Amino acid sequence: MDYDFLVTRALEARERAYAPYSGLRVGAALLTEDGRIYTGVNVENISYGATNCAERTAIFSAIAEGRTSFKAIAVGSDLEKTIYPCGICRQVLAEFKVPVIIVSDSKGKYRVYRLEELMPSAFEAEL
Ligand code: THU
């Protein structure tokens, strides 16, 4: 499948990142089962631990709008090299079973992974 459109949306979203502390702007674009796209950016905070990554912003925004089934998420940043989701974001991607993760460099060159590849043996429990 061609994910150019989703990567483009992630890199466009990146322009709206709030990243005054790290200077690294990150954007994400999440494709829902019903064909909608929710974007997200990293939102930093002077209390650094309060920062939210682009991937989680996109997912939380979709959940808040009532979307719970997803096809794929794309992420890209200002970095020339490909950016990969952090551990916390991988846990959230696992929670909502986002099956395909597209990681891009700043120019839109991307690689496609299955969730299981980036988050093998994810924590599951009968609670
Ligand atoms: N960041 C993301 O938004 N997504 C990632 O996948 C990795 C890191 C953000 C968090 C922080 O605002 C900045 O990048 C530097 O770590």
PDB file of all heavy atoms in Angstrom, residues 19 22 24 26 41-44 51-55 75 83-86 89, ligand 1:
ATOM      1  N   ALA A  19       7.412  22.976  20.320  1.00  0.00           N
ATOM      2  CA  ALA A  19       8.644  22.337  20.799  1.00  0.00           C
ATOM      3  C   ALA A  19       9.736  23.368  21.113  1.00  0.00           C
ATOM      4  O   ALA A  19      10.839  23.314  20.560  1.00  0.00           O
ATOM      5  CB  ALA A  19       9.133  21.343  19.756  1.00  0.00           C
ATOM      6  N   SER A  22      13.104  21.381  23.116  1.00  0.00           N
ATOM      7  CA  SER A  22      14.015  20.502  22.375  1.00  0.00           C
ATOM      8  C   SER A  22      14.315  21.074  20.989  1.00  0.00           C
ATOM      9  O   SER A  22      15.348  20.767  20.401  1.00  0.00           O
ATOM     10  CB  SER A  22      13.399  19.112  22.205  1.00  0.00           C
ATOM     11  OG  SER A  22      12.361  19.135  21.235  1.00  0.00           O
ATOM     12  N   LEU A  24      12.861  20.126  18.475  1.00  0.00           N
ATOM     13  CA  LEU A  24      12.544  19.054  17.515  1.00  0.00           C
ATOM     14  C   LEU A  24      11.030  18.993  17.286  1.00  0.00           C
ATOM     15  O   LEU A  24      10.274  18.614  18.183  1.00  0.00           O
ATOM     16  CB  LEU A  24      13.039  17.696  18.043  1.00  0.00           C
ATOM     17  CG  LEU A  24      12.700  16.483  17.163  1.00  0.00           C
ATOM     18  CD1 LEU A  24      13.353  16.609  15.780  1.00  0.00           C
ATOM     19  CD2 LEU A  24      13.143  15.189  17.836  1.00  0.00           C
ATOM     20  N   VAL A  26       7.795  17.335  15.764  1.00  0.00           N
ATOM     21  CA  VAL A  26       7.361  16.005  15.334  1.00  0.00           C
ATOM     22  C   VAL A  26       5.884  16.083  14.950  1.00  0.00           C
ATOM     23  O   VAL A  26       5.094  16.783  15.610  1.00  0.00           O
ATOM     24  CB  VAL A  26       7.553  14.962  16.457  1.00  0.00           C
ATOM     25  CG1 VAL A  26       7.229  13.551  15.947  1.00  0.00           C
ATOM     26  CG2 VAL A  26       8.980  15.003  17.001  1.00  0.00           C
ATOM     27  N   VAL A  41       0.779  16.565  17.113  1.00  0.00           N
ATOM     28  CA  VAL A  41       2.131  17.136  17.197  1.00  0.00           C
ATOM     29  C   VAL A  41       2.651  16.944  18.613  1.00  0.00           C
ATOM     30  O   VAL A  41       1.873  16.695  19.540  1.00  0.00           O
ATOM     31  CB  VAL A  41       2.132  18.649  16.859  1.00  0.00           C
ATOM     32  CG1 VAL A  41       1.662  18.886  15.438  1.00  0.00           C
ATOM     33  CG2 VAL A  41       1.287  19.437  17.851  1.00  0.00           C
ATOM     34  N   ASN A  42       3.962  17.080  18.775  1.00  0.00           N
ATOM     35  CA  ASN A  42       4.485  17.065  20.139  1.00  0.00           C
ATOM     36  C   ASN A  42       4.182  18.412  20.788  1.00  0.00           C
ATOM     37  O   ASN A  42       4.297  19.470  20.164  1.00  0.00           O
ATOM     38  CB  ASN A  42       5.973  16.719  20.193  1.00  0.00           C
ATOM     39  CG  ASN A  42       6.849  17.570  19.308  1.00  0.00           C
ATOM     40  OD1 ASN A  42       6.418  18.068  18.281  1.00  0.00           O
ATOM     41  ND2 ASN A  42       8.092  17.725  19.696  1.00  0.00           N
ATOM     42  N   VAL A  43       3.738  18.333  22.023  1.00  0.00           N
ATOM     43  CA  VAL A  43       3.397  19.526  22.802  1.00  0.00           C
ATOM     44  C   VAL A  43       4.265  19.492  24.055  1.00  0.00           C
ATOM     45  O   VAL A  43       4.033  18.668  24.947  1.00  0.00           O
ATOM     46  CB  VAL A  43       1.902  19.557  23.174  1.00  0.00           C
ATOM     47  CG1 VAL A  43       1.562  20.850  23.912  1.00  0.00           C
ATOM     48  CG2 VAL A  43       1.031  19.431  21.919  1.00  0.00           C
ATOM     49  N   GLU A  44       5.285  20.340  24.075  1.00  0.00           N
ATOM     50  CA  GLU A  44       6.243  20.316  25.183  1.00  0.00           C
ATOM     51  C   GLU A  44       5.792  21.196  26.328  1.00  0.00           C
ATOM     52  O   GLU A  44       4.819  21.959  26.220  1.00  0.00           O
ATOM     53  CB  GLU A  44       7.621  20.737  24.666  1.00  0.00           C
ATOM     54  CG  GLU A  44       8.141  19.751  23.620  1.00  0.00           C
ATOM     55  CD  GLU A  44       9.573  20.007  23.202  1.00  0.00           C
ATOM     56  OE1 GLU A  44      10.104  21.115  23.453  1.00  0.00           O
ATOM     57  OE2 GLU A  44      10.164  19.080  22.602  1.00  0.00           O
ATOM     58  N   THR A  51       5.473  16.742  28.766  1.00  0.00           N
ATOM     59  CA  THR A  51       5.442  16.745  27.294  1.00  0.00           C
ATOM     60  C   THR A  51       4.622  15.583  26.745  1.00  0.00           C
ATOM     61  O   THR A  51       4.670  14.474  27.270  1.00  0.00           O
ATOM     62  CB  THR A  51       6.895  16.665  26.757  1.00  0.00           C
ATOM     63  OG1 THR A  51       7.555  17.894  27.085  1.00  0.00           O
ATOM     64  CG2 THR A  51       6.934  16.429  25.265  1.00  0.00           C
ATOM     65  N   ASN A  52       3.887  15.852  25.683  1.00  0.00           N
ATOM     66  CA  ASN A  52       3.148  14.795  24.980  1.00  0.00           C
ATOM     67  C   ASN A  52       3.708  14.643  23.567  1.00  0.00           C
ATOM     68  O   ASN A  52       3.878  15.633  22.857  1.00  0.00           O
ATOM     69  CB  ASN A  52       1.657  15.145  24.914  1.00  0.00           C
ATOM     70  CG  ASN A  52       0.790  13.907  24.832  1.00  0.00           C
ATOM     71  OD1 ASN A  52       0.811  13.078  25.738  1.00  0.00           O
ATOM     72  ND2 ASN A  52       0.053  13.767  23.753  1.00  0.00           N
ATOM     73  N   CYS A  53       3.977  13.400  23.177  1.00  0.00           N
ATOM     74  CA  CYS A  53       4.506  13.142  21.834  1.00  0.00           C
ATOM     75  C   CYS A  53       3.415  13.281  20.767  1.00  0.00           C
ATOM     76  O   CYS A  53       2.219  13.156  21.056  1.00  0.00           O
ATOM     77  CB  CYS A  53       5.062  11.729  21.746  1.00  0.00           C
ATOM     78  SG  CYS A  53       6.545  11.448  22.706  1.00  0.00           S
ATOM     79  N   ALA A  54       3.869  13.470  19.536  1.00  0.00           N
ATOM     80  CA  ALA A  54       2.957  13.642  18.406  1.00  0.00           C
ATOM     81  C   ALA A  54       2.014  12.444  18.228  1.00  0.00           C
ATOM     82  O   ALA A  54       0.812  12.620  17.969  1.00  0.00           O
ATOM     83  CB  ALA A  54       3.772  13.847  17.140  1.00  0.00           C
ATOM     84  N   GLU A  55       2.551  11.243  18.377  1.00  0.00           N
ATOM     85  CA  GLU A  55       1.738  10.037  18.153  1.00  0.00           C
ATOM     86  C   GLU A  55       0.582   9.979  19.152  1.00  0.00           C
ATOM     87  O   GLU A  55      -0.555   9.675  18.807  1.00  0.00           O
ATOM     88  CB  GLU A  55       2.593   8.774  18.318  1.00  0.00           C
ATOM     89  CG  GLU A  55       3.736   8.654  17.330  1.00  0.00           C
ATOM     90  CD  GLU A  55       5.035   9.250  17.831  1.00  0.00           C
ATOM     91  OE1 GLU A  55       5.013  10.337  18.445  1.00  0.00           O
ATOM     92  OE2 GLU A  55       6.079   8.630  17.605  1.00  0.00           O
ATOM     93  N   VAL A  75       4.581   8.878  11.253  1.00  0.00           N
ATOM     94  CA  VAL A  75       5.270   9.862  12.097  1.00  0.00           C
ATOM     95  C   VAL A  75       6.527  10.352  11.386  1.00  0.00           C
ATOM     96  O   VAL A  75       7.220   9.586  10.714  1.00  0.00           O
ATOM     97  CB  VAL A  75       5.601   9.266  13.497  1.00  0.00           C
ATOM     98  CG1 VAL A  75       6.423   8.010  13.390  1.00  0.00           C
ATOM     99  CG2 VAL A  75       6.291  10.292  14.390  1.00  0.00           C
ATOM    100  N   ILE A  83      12.523   8.841  12.300  1.00  0.00           N
ATOM    101  CA  ILE A  83      12.187   8.875  13.729  1.00  0.00           C
ATOM    102  C   ILE A  83      11.278   7.690  14.056  1.00  0.00           C
ATOM    103  O   ILE A  83      10.396   7.338  13.276  1.00  0.00           O
ATOM    104  CB  ILE A  83      11.536  10.218  14.116  1.00  0.00           C
ATOM    105  CG1 ILE A  83      11.438  10.345  15.627  1.00  0.00           C
ATOM    106  CG2 ILE A  83      10.205  10.442  13.455  1.00  0.00           C
ATOM    107  CD1 ILE A  83      11.054  11.740  16.094  1.00  0.00           C
ATOM    108  N   TYR A  84      11.545   7.080  15.208  1.00  0.00           N
ATOM    109  CA  TYR A  84      10.746   5.931  15.671  1.00  0.00           C
ATOM    110  C   TYR A  84       9.990   6.318  16.934  1.00  0.00           C
ATOM    111  O   TYR A  84      10.514   7.084  17.751  1.00  0.00           O
ATOM    112  CB  TYR A  84      11.658   4.726  15.971  1.00  0.00           C
ATOM    113  CG  TYR A  84      12.158   4.055  14.719  1.00  0.00           C
ATOM    114  CD1 TYR A  84      13.218   4.596  13.994  1.00  0.00           C
ATOM    115  CD2 TYR A  84      11.568   2.891  14.264  1.00  0.00           C
ATOM    116  CE1 TYR A  84      13.673   3.977  12.829  1.00  0.00           C
ATOM    117  CE2 TYR A  84      12.029   2.267  13.105  1.00  0.00           C
ATOM    118  CZ  TYR A  84      13.067   2.815  12.396  1.00  0.00           C
ATOM    119  OH  TYR A  84      13.499   2.212  11.248  1.00  0.00           O
ATOM    120  N   PRO A  85       8.796   5.783  17.144  1.00  0.00           N
ATOM    121  CA  PRO A  85       8.020   6.112  18.349  1.00  0.00           C
ATOM    122  C   PRO A  85       8.747   5.709  19.634  1.00  0.00           C
ATOM    123  O   PRO A  85       9.413   4.671  19.675  1.00  0.00           O
ATOM    124  CB  PRO A  85       6.739   5.277  18.191  1.00  0.00           C
ATOM    125  CG  PRO A  85       6.658   4.928  16.760  1.00  0.00           C
ATOM    126  CD  PRO A  85       8.063   4.875  16.242  1.00  0.00           C
ATOM    127  N   CYS A  86       8.602   6.514  20.656  1.00  0.00           N
ATOM    128  CA  CYS A  86       9.208   6.213  21.956  1.00  0.00           C
ATOM    129  C   CYS A  86       8.461   5.049  22.619  1.00  0.00           C
ATOM    130  O   CYS A  86       7.407   4.601  22.141  1.00  0.00           O
ATOM    131  CB  CYS A  86       9.178   7.452  22.859  1.00  0.00           C
ATOM    132  SG  CYS A  86       7.566   7.760  23.622  1.00  0.00           S
ATOM    133  N   CYS A  89       4.796   5.768  23.662  1.00  0.00           N
ATOM    134  CA  CYS A  89       3.898   5.793  22.499  1.00  0.00           C
ATOM    135  C   CYS A  89       3.655   4.379  21.971  1.00  0.00           C
ATOM    136  O   CYS A  89       2.543   4.048  21.553  1.00  0.00           O
ATOM    137  CB  CYS A  89       4.460   6.691  21.405  1.00  0.00           C
ATOM    138  SG  CYS A  89       4.296   8.440  21.811  1.00  0.00           S
TER     139      CYS A  89
HETATM  140  N1  THU B   1       8.850  13.021  20.315  1.00  0.00           N
HETATM  141  C1  THU B   1       7.689  12.739  19.645  1.00  0.00           C
HETATM  142  O1  THU B   1       6.786  13.588  19.556  1.00  0.00           O
HETATM  143  N2  THU B   1       7.548  11.514  19.086  1.00  0.00           N
HETATM  144  C2  THU B   1       8.516  10.545  19.075  1.00  0.00           C
HETATM  145  O2  THU B   1       8.309   9.491  18.510  1.00  0.00           O
HETATM  146  C3  THU B   1       9.789  10.783  19.764  1.00  0.00           C
HETATM  147  C4  THU B   1       9.913  12.061  20.506  1.00  0.00           C
HETATM  148  C5  THU B   1       9.043  14.373  20.859  1.00  0.00           C
HETATM  149  C6  THU B   1       9.012  14.501  22.346  1.00  0.00           C
HETATM  150  C7  THU B   1       9.813  15.778  22.550  1.00  0.00           C
HETATM  151  O3  THU B   1       8.937  16.881  22.432  1.00  0.00           O
HETATM  152  C8  THU B   1      10.775  15.814  21.392  1.00  0.00           C
HETATM  153  O4  THU B   1      10.307  14.868  20.452  1.00  0.00           O
HETATM  154  C9  THU B   1      12.195  15.474  21.773  1.00  0.00           C
HETATM  155  O5  THU B   1      12.272  14.282  22.443  1.00  0.00           O
END
